[in-house]
Amino acid sequence: MFAFTVRRIAQGLIVMVVISFIGFAIKHNFGDPVRELVGERVTPVERAQIRQQLGLNDPFLMQYGRFLNDALHGDLGRSYFFKKPVTEVIMSKAPATLELVFCASLIVIFLSIPLGIYSAIHPKNIWSRIIMSGSILGVSMPVFLTAILLIYIFSVELGWLPSFGRGETVKLFGFWNSGMLTKDGLLHLIMPSIALSSIMLPLFIRLIRSEMMEVLESEYVKYAWAKGIKAKRVWYVHAFKNTLLPVITVGGVQLGIMVAFTILTETVFQWQGMGSMFIQSVERADTALMVSYIVVVGFIFVVVNTIVDIIYGLVNPTVRVTGRK
Amino acid sequence: MSLRWRQLKESDFVYYFFRDPVAYVSFAILLVLVISAFGAPLFAPHDPYDQTTIDIMDSELPPAWKDEGTAKFLLGTDDMGRDMFSTMLYGMRISIIIGLGAVALQAFIGIIIGLLSGYIKRFDTILMRIADVQLSFSTYMIAIFIGATCQMMFGVANYEKIAAPLLILIIGLAEWPQYARTVRASVLAERKKEYVEAARVIGLSKIRIMWRHILPNTLSPVLVISTVQVANAIMSEAALSFLGLGMPQSKPSLGSLITAGFEYIFSGTWWITIFPGILLVLLILVINLLGDWVRDYLNPKLYKG
């Protein structure tokens, strides 16, 4: 187990190095650190002087080494647009995104498990058919379109819910701007979380259903039936336990993927989080900010995947020997 | 030819196909959509690319059944005064072309990498780790990152000029691991079989064994994921267009039409967004339904995850 953990962490580190290298290559080729520092109104002579001072004429690999060193100390450069260090900008935007992902995950977890189990237990039932056809419709619906439809129905036509922004926020611990403590903030959270969860919910329902149906066919469940155990106990205790294992592994990774969909959701709802920040940084050619978003999100992905892999290795010993799957 | 035709007509495939209403209805809808998309120059009442026929005074007209609508524009007009119906047909053509192109590229890269890593042990670990890592990042993320980088590289104006081939490239590069993993899984199952061993004993080259002997036997799972991948590629294209990393407004795909209309939705001009939206969902839905049917029919052991 120890060797397995070390190997997984080492792999994660290699991936991080590759991501940072790609990020730096983008920054090196398309970014202009002098502009990030002083703006446009500087003479070419001064510009060249600053370039020399910053070490921008050094060889590529040397600059990359410096970038890595700075990144490890939490310095990813300065944002041209915000005139602040990018880590500061990202830290100020992160709570909005994390709250959104958190609420959406709650919706996914609390709806997909009962619906998935139900449609696995009664596969021919009319409700299961409705759930399954609903889920294939959900899979076919792009997340931004769901968001637009929600806005059109609930904001434009009915006028029930606010259509953009985070509403009133409260500052927690001095840095965390939370929208989850005020009524206004919660109202603003409803539609974005539904839109974000709409992409994962059908996938999870289908996953839980197919895993559960597979488990229900297995020998030990038949044995449980033969022993005369009550149906509820067989379903919810015997079968469901073994359904959870693959769901957790796939689910852990999928929750990470949600971060990708925050880019779309946040753009529609003008949610002031990391996703919309990323798209704006692309539009403003704010290279430093864009690259650090890639690095930060890459880091989140690697951490989530490594943890999921290690947990899976703990629960299922065969993986440790043969590798994943 | 007639024998072939009869064989096809009497095959299980056709028999089960016509017994399942979901399958043949979806297929019929898909056929209508594809024909009307590729026949857009014939069917569309207006040409959205022809600047001379567009009048800005016609902009934001509602559909024909509304009071202010005119019979000239069945589904209304968009913000530039283009006929929605025609623009949607042309847009769907772009979406489908990009979807098919991207899937062809994915399949090409994925099949080669899948064959190599399944048949030649040396490449296996490294290639599959790359595929795993890329998959764990989600294809959307990769596509958005590549798109954003390309836009910085070429600048917005140049990016829009080469948007269509670029989108095929971006989505193709982002989604090949699906194919690679599927092909690898079936290659691993095939390579132990006797016919492969026989081919090796005869002394055929590795490339010939992979290409002529193993590949044909791995095609049924490839076919199954291909249908779903086309739907995914069309969705990715729409998402990229929505973020401003896709087709420009002068040559809109369904995704960029939805984007264009989104700005007007608050003033009650819903048709610019909703009609392309419905068309996009319908297109993806029927492809997904067909994909489900093909999967159930062929029922190959697909690689989960």
Side-chain angles (χ1 to χ4, degrees):
Chain A
M1 185 63 215
F2 180 71
F4 172 78
T5 313
V6 170
R7 210 162 54 228
R8 273 282 172 271
I9 292 176
Q11 269 171 359
L13 284 178
I14 294 172
V15 174
M16 259 337 283
V17 170
V18 172
I19 293 172
S20 69
F21 188 79
I22 295 173
F24 178 73
I26 297 173
K27 202 170 159 176
H28 185 79
N29 286 319
F30 311 122
D32 185 356
V34 180
R35 191 190 70 156
E36 279 155 24
L37 266 181
V38 294
E40 308 281 356
R41 292 182 193 167
V42 182
T43 61
V45 182
E46 279 175 299
R47 207 172 273 269
Q49 211 172 2
I50 298 171
R51 278 192 79 84
Q52 188 62 40
Q53 269 173 15
L54 288 173
L56 291 174
N57 298 331
D58 293 346
F60 179 79
L61 279 180
M62 211 166 133
Q63 291 190 46
Y64 174 60
R66 208 155 42 214
F67 172 78
L68 263 191
N69 189 29
D70 286 348
L72 287 177
H73 291 92
D75 176 14
L76 286 164
R78 287 178 71 83
S79 159
Y80 165 66
F81 180 79
F82 289 96
K83 309 260 184 276
K84 272 194 279 187
V86 285
T87 31
E88 227 171 86
V89 179
I90 290 184
M91 281 304 282
S92 69
K93 301 276 184 186
T97 300
L98 292 179
E99 281 180 2
L100 186 58
V101 171
F102 176 71
C103 289
S105 327
L106 284 187
I107 297 177
V108 170
I109 291 167
F110 284 107
L111 280 182
S112 68
I113 292 179
L115 292 179
I117 293 180
Y118 182 84
S119 54
I121 297 174
H122 315 284
K124 297 253 147 88
N125 184 302
I126 178 81
W127 286 108
S128 313
R129 285 179 187 212
I130 293 174
I131 293 172
M132 291 320 286
S133 6
S135 80
I136 193 153
L137 186 66
V139 169
S140 309
M141 195 106 143
V143 64
F144 62 93
L145 193 63
T146 319
I148 291 175
L149 287 181
L150 284 173
I151 288 184
Y152 181 67
I153 296 171
F154 293 105
S155 301
V156 179
E157 286 291 318
L158 297 171
W160 289 352
L161 292 169
S163 63
F164 64 88
R166 293 186 68 198
E168 208 179 307
T169 54
V170 180
K171 206 160 210 166
L172 288 180
F173 321 115
F175 70 95
W176 187 284
N177 268 320
S178 173
M180 294 177 75
L181 294 174
T182 59
K183 194 175 158 233
D184 190 42
L186 284 174
L187 277 180
H188 280 82
L189 252 173
I190 295 175
M191 286 204 299
S193 338
I194 294 177
L196 184 55
S197 63
S198 72
I199 200 75
M200 290 294 156
L201 191 58
L203 289 177
F204 267 69
I205 292 177
R206 285 159 76 101
L207 177 70
I208 292 176
R209 176 176 177 268
S210 67
E211 290 295 340
M212 182 102 176
M213 284 174 85
E214 215 167 274
V215 172
L216 283 175
E217 290 293 307
S218 62
E219 298 282 322
Y220 83 95
V221 172
K222 283 182 191 152
Y223 180 59
W225 287 120
K227 279 201 296 189
I229 294 173
K230 278 200 195 107
K232 278 190 179 159
R233 199 173 157 78
V234 177
W235 288 333
Y236 303 132
V237 180
H238 291 238
F240 182 60
K241 248 193 224 163
N242 280 315
T243 309
L244 269 183
L245 187 65
V247 172
I248 287 173
T249 43
V250 179
V253 177
Q254 296 284 344
L255 286 184
I257 288 177
M258 262 204 196
V259 176
F261 287 99
T262 58
I263 297 182
L264 289 162
T265 323
E266 287 180 5
T267 312
V268 179
F269 290 101
Q270 296 169 42
W271 190 261
Q272 291 305 310
M274 286 157 68
S276 58
M277 177 203 81
F278 172 70
I279 286 301
Q280 283 160 6
S281 74
V282 174
E283 281 162 7
R284 293 167 185 148
D286 196 340
T287 327
L289 195 56
M290 179 193 144
V291 166
S292 36
Y293 177 83
I294 298 181
V295 172
V296 168
V297 168
F299 182 69
I300 296 175
F301 271 92
V302 169
V303 169
V304 168
N305 282 332
T306 311
I307 292 175
V308 168
D309 268 3
I310 291 173
I311 291 177
Y312 199 44
L314 272 175
V315 188
N316 186 356
T318 53
V319 203
R320 270 179 259 158
V321 189
T322 55
R324 194 157 136 199
K325 279 170 193 155
Chain B
M1 189 62 209
S2 68
L3 182 73
R4 275 267 178 95
W5 180 244
R6 217 169 58 225
Q7 270 180 346
L8 183 70
K9 221 173 125 187
E10 285 164 10
S11 66
D12 286 356
F13 184 81
V14 173
Y15 175 74
Y16 284 113
F17 182 76
F18 283 106
R19 274 185 43 136
D20 190 343
V22 175
Y24 63 75
V25 170
S26 331
F27 184 73
I29 296 176
L30 183 65
L31 207 62
V32 171
L33 289 180
V34 170
I35 290 175
S36 53
F38 283 94
L42 296 175
F43 302 126
H46 303 266
D47 182 358
Y49 300 155
D50 186 2
Q51 298 286 342
T52 52
T53 61
I54 301 166
D55 188 353
I56 194 73
M57 294 307 285
D58 289 336
S59 68
E60 293 184 56
L61 285 176
W65 60 86
K66 289 270 195 177
D67 289 343
E68 305 98 78
T70 60
K72 197 178 158 202
F73 304 112
L74 183 63
L75 297 178
T77 57
D78 72 353
D79 54 319
M80 294 185 214
R82 292 180 295 204
D83 175 41
M84 276 314 292
F85 179 66
S86 316
T87 318
M88 273 159 58
L89 286 186
Y90 279 88
M92 185 160 67
R93 186 171 68 166
I94 294 177
S95 292
I96 293 176
I97 290 175
I98 291 178
L100 291 177
V103 168
L105 183 62
Q106 288 166 29
F108 181 71
I109 304 175
I111 286 174
I112 289 178
I113 291 184
L115 279 175
L116 283 179
S117 91
Y119 195 68
I120 302 174
K121 273 260 160 64
R122 248 179 313 148
F123 298 142
D124 192 29
T125 331
I126 177 80
L127 287 176
M128 278 305 113
R129 274 321 286 177
I130 295 175
D132 270 357
V133 168
Q134 199 178 328
L135 265 188
S136 71
F137 269 85
S138 103
T139 48
Y140 272 93
M141 206 72 180
I142 303 270
I144 292 171
F145 283 167
I146 303 179
T149 314
C150 285
Q151 201 177 53
M152 285 210 168
M153 202 150 67
F154 298 119
V156 179
N158 288 329
Y159 185 90
E160 289 191 341
K161 258 181 237 156
I162 50 167
L166 206 57
L167 281 169
I168 292 179
L169 191 69
I170 291 170
I171 300 168
L173 285 179
E175 299 213 10
W176 63 265
Q178 295 284 3
Y179 277 96
R181 287 172 70 157
T182 313
V183 171
R184 173 180 171 269
S186 19
V187 171
L188 286 182
E190 291 295 323
R191 59 174 291 168
K192 293 186 196 113
K193 293 192 179 161
E194 278 175 357
Y195 75 93
V196 178
E197 226 141 79
R200 207 179 306 154
V201 171
I202 301 173
L204 296 182
S205 70
K206 274 186 177 166
I207 293 176
R208 196 178 164 83
I209 296 176
M210 282 192 279
W211 197 252
R212 293 297 298 272
H213 295 254
I214 297 182
L215 182 62
N217 289 308
T218 61
L219 282 184
S220 93
V222 167
L223 187 70
V224 170
I225 62 169
S226 289
T227 37
V228 180
Q229 286 301 99
V230 173
N232 281 346
I234 292 175
M235 276 238 254
S236 307
E237 187 277 328
L240 284 171
S241 291
F242 183 75
L243 293 173
L245 299 171
M247 296 302 292
Q249 290 305 330
S250 55
K251 259 195 156 190
S253 66
L254 289 177
S256 25
L257 271 176
I258 296 171
T259 322
F262 179 50
E263 290 169 28
Y264 296 88
I265 205 167
F266 293 100
S267 56
T269 313
W270 50 270
W271 53 91
I272 308 180
T273 296
I274 305 291
F275 286 140
I278 292 172
L279 190 61
L280 181 67
V281 172
L282 187 69
L283 180 64
I284 297 170
L285 183 66
V286 291
I287 299 177
N288 274 338
L289 286 171
L290 273 180
D292 269 13
W293 182 81
V294 174
R295 189 193 56 205
D296 290 345
Y297 173 75
L298 293 172
N299 196 21
K301 285 214 174 340
L302 274 188
Y303 204 49
K304 249 191 269 169

